[in-house]
Amino acid sequence: AHPVDKMTLGLSDYHVIVSLDGPVEDYLSEIPFHTATLDWKLESTEGYNKEQFEVLHRALSLQVRGLMERLSGPEAD
């Protein structure tokens, strides 16, 4: 077996932390090994009505879907 084969980890061996309100480091003093952090800026939702929250939900869903596709790679089903 090739040495790189022994080092290959599955997608489940990695973790992603996404912050919607400032840098992840503002919330965690230490980032675990095999963990990527993303800071997605979310505007203030103060005063949002139901429709605005639904639009925000759809937008975040698309971002999460894009992230999952990117993590899975081009050959994922």
Side-chain angles (χ1 to χ4, degrees):
H2 194 276
V4 174
D5 293 337
K6 293 178 183 177
M7 294 173 47
T8 303
L9 298 172
L11 187 58
S12 63
D13 294 320
Y14 294 90
H15 303 277
V16 177
I17 299 171
V18 178
S19 173
L20 301 176
D21 187 22
V24 170
E25 293 79 13
D26 287 354
Y27 301 96
L28 298 173
S29 59
E30 189 173 318
I31 306 300
F33 191 64
H34 289 163
T35 301
T37 62
L38 298 170
D39 297 321
W40 290 350
K41 182 68 175 150
L42 183 65
E43 295 180 22
S44 173
T45 57
E46 188 175 333
Y48 267 31
N49 62 31
K50 184 178 177 182
E51 279 184 6
Q52 290 167 312
F53 275 114
E54 288 173 358
V55 168
L56 177 61
H57 177 264
R58 285 193 296 274
L60 284 173
S61 294
L62 288 174
Q63 281 187 270
V64 170
R65 181 180 300 162
L67 174 61
M68 295 305 295
E69 288 171 0
R70 189 171 185 189
L71 291 173
S72 297
E75 299 178 16
D77 291 10

